[in-house]
Amino acid sequence: MEVRYFDNAATTAVREEVLKEMIPYFTINYGNPSAIYQVGREAKRGMDKARQRVADAINCNMHEIYFTSCGSESDNLAIKGVAYANKEKGNHIITTKIEHHAVLNSCQTLERQGFKVTYLNVEENGTVNIQELLNSITENTILISIMFANNEIGTIEPIEKIGKIARDKNILFHTDAVQACGNVPIDVKKMGIDMLSMSGHKLHAPKGTGALYIRKGIRLDKHIDGGHQEGDKRAGTENVPGIVGLGKACEIANEELGDNMRILKELRDYYVMQVENSIPNAKLNGSRNMRLPGNANFSFRGMDGRGMVIELNKRGICVSGGSACSAGSTKASHVLKALGIPDELTKSAIRTTFGPDNTKEDIDYLVQNLQEIILY
């Protein structure tokens, strides 16, 4: 059976060019990058090249990029690291109710340790209310952490406005950009971003790779004790082949960004039109316009989202009922609940995230099978 994959927000296939560039770092340039002999120096050079490529993709200095194992680790390091390093200045953090659990659970851990956290509401389309953000700031606020684009509904937040507010108030601003990197333009300087998390496997690099941008001059405590790797921000011998792959994937994503955005938006808009024209009571969740180019999240009244995912899988179709990290949970999506969507619709949601290899013919097949499952 041919597999049609529509779950690129969960993970992406490693690009052939990425894998090709990684292979020598398994077999030839396999040295420890902290070593001073030739094989180690070759590994270090590979990492430096990757660091520059990642930096170029978001417009920062290469020495402001720190490699991690994933987006979740980057979120933990940013949020907890800043909180612990700045607890003498204040103990208040602002985030939103629709963040990835790597952010939400980090904040809840800090709450148990005496920190105060404000969880902002969002509008019906998933965007942050700027006035509520302003009203939440206190003299003890040390960090604002708001995701660039939501992993379930694809809504893009007003990052530049948030960055300006944070800069004007002398508050650090972190954004989880795991879903945004490689999908939309990002300029950390223009947008006033102090820290940014990314994950390799969302942009055609291997799993187990990630990065955290930390603007020069920001102080944070590391949470993995050991050696002094990654500028003493993250102990442990680096995953050199994975880092090389992340760098190459960022370079490709940067070069192809315009074309990919256009292709994915056309596919997404075609899918949305087909669903809304052929399936009664289908509800598009999130912003209709300010959303990631390849993301479409629909609720289908009267249906069970998990059951639909299973039935579509039998037909060779891969979609998601929400965040891949929550796939085993029976709870309704915290993101959709925060939008004010009733339980009946939150539990009938299907997230479809397209990639550049998808075609309109693939979408026709998906919609045809959705019609058969829902209408017949």
Side-chain angles (χ1 to χ4, degrees):
M1 180 190 300
E2 181 183 356
V3 174
R4 290 175 169 86
Y5 187 76
F6 305 105
D7 201 16
N8 287 274
T11 197
T12 58
V14 175
R15 289 275 296 251
E16 185 177 343
E17 308 97 301
V18 170
L19 180 59
K20 183 178 179 181
E21 192 143 336
M22 291 171 60
I23 287 174
Y25 293 89
F26 288 110
T27 59
I28 301 171
N29 303 325
Y30 55 82
N32 189 314
S34 296
I36 62 173
Y37 44 73
Q38 183 64 25
V39 177
R41 292 203 302 271
E42 288 300 328
K44 178 68 162 53
R45 273 193 278 270
M47 282 181 52
D48 287 344
K49 186 176 181 179
R51 207 181 300 275
Q52 185 64 63
R53 285 168 160 175
V54 174
D56 288 343
I58 60 173
N59 189 30
C60 70
N61 186 285
M62 64 176 287
H63 299 296
E64 297 174 308
I65 296 295
Y66 300 89
F67 292 116
T68 65
S69 65
C70 59
S72 291
E73 185 190 340
S74 295
D75 286 341
N76 272 258
L77 177 55
I79 294 168
K80 294 175 183 174
V82 162
Y84 297 146
N86 293 275
K87 58 188 176 183
E88 301 303 322
K89 294 181 179 179
N91 67 344
H92 181 232
I93 296 166
I94 299 173
T95 187
T96 79
K97 293 181 178 179
I98 64 169
E99 298 296 311
H100 188 277
H101 280 103
V103 170
L104 294 177
N105 290 348
S106 291
C107 288
Q108 288 166 13
T109 294
L110 290 172
E111 283 185 290
R112 291 192 291 271
Q113 297 172 6
F115 288 86
K116 307 297 182 184
V117 181
T118 297
Y119 299 90
L120 299 175
N121 295 303
V122 292
E123 306 290 353
E124 186 179 358
N125 65 2
T127 57
V128 170
N129 184 306
I130 292 295
Q131 190 57 52
E132 184 180 354
L133 169 61
L134 285 166
N135 293 343
S136 299
I137 294 172
T138 74
E139 61 182 10
N140 292 317
T141 305
I142 55 175
L143 176 66
I144 297 170
S145 180
I146 294 177
M147 66 194 335
F148 201 112
N150 187 264
N151 51 308
E152 292 191 32
I153 57 174
T155 295
I156 298 173
E157 300 296 342
I159 294 298
E160 195 166 343
K161 288 183 180 179
I162 297 168
K164 186 177 187 308
I165 290 169
R167 192 63 54 85
D168 289 346
K169 299 289 187 179
N170 197 30
I171 298 167
L172 293 177
F173 174 38
H174 164 255
T175 186
D176 178 335
V178 165
Q179 295 294 332
C181 288
N183 285 309
V184 293
I186 298 176
D187 185 329
V188 294
K189 293 178 182 177
K190 179 182 177 184
M191 295 176 170
I193 297 168
D194 295 306
M195 295 178 291
L196 177 146
S197 302
M198 69 170 68
S199 180
H201 76 104
K202 307 293 188 178
L203 48 89
H204 303 283
K207 299 171 184 65
T209 60
L212 176 63
Y213 156 71
I214 307 172
R215 181 174 56 79
K216 184 179 178 180
I218 291 177
R219 193 165 57 91
L220 79 170
D221 289 359
K222 65 181 182 181
H223 65 270
I224 298 177
D225 292 322
H228 301 285
Q229 293 90 346
E230 293 305 296
D232 207 24
K233 297 286 194 298
R234 195 252 188 194
T237 302
E238 297 92 342
N239 171 12
V240 179
I243 287 168
V244 168
L246 173 58
K248 182 62 176 178
C250 282
E251 180 185 64
I252 294 171
N254 209 27
E255 292 172 349
E256 299 180 352
L257 184 60
D259 287 341
N260 278 346
M261 286 181 65
R262 175 182 54 79
I263 291 168
L264 295 182
K265 185 177 183 300
E266 287 179 3
L267 292 172
R268 180 202 70 196
D269 291 347
Y270 180 73
Y271 171 67
V272 170
M273 179 185 68
Q274 294 290 86
V275 168
E276 292 184 334
N277 287 343
S278 63
I279 301 178
N281 297 320
K283 180 188 182 301
L284 181 67
N285 298 315
S287 172
R288 188 167 290 271
N289 298 311
M290 288 301 297
R291 70 187 304 134
L292 292 171
N295 178 297
N297 185 307
F298 273 102
S299 289
F300 300 97
R301 189 179 299 276
M303 301 301 296
D304 171 58
R306 184 178 176 84
M308 292 177 67
V309 171
I310 294 170
E311 185 58 39
L312 288 167
N313 178 61
K314 294 177 183 177
R315 302 168 187 229
I317 297 171
C318 301
V319 298
S320 171
S323 168
C325 303
S326 303
S329 174
T330 57
K331 295 181 180 179
S333 161
H334 72 284
V335 173
L336 298 183
K337 289 183 72 173
L339 268 60
I341 296 174
D343 284 351
E344 177 193 5
L345 292 179
T346 62
K347 293 178 180 178
S348 68
I350 295 292
R351 180 187 69 179
T352 308
T353 45
F354 303 105
D357 294 332
N358 290 136
T359 64
K360 288 185 177 179
E361 288 74 23
D362 291 334
I363 293 173
D364 290 339
Y365 182 77
L366 168 60
V367 173
Q368 174 191 334
N369 281 275
L370 282 171
Q371 290 173 332
E372 292 176 3
I373 293 169
I374 295 168
L375 301 178
Y376 305 126

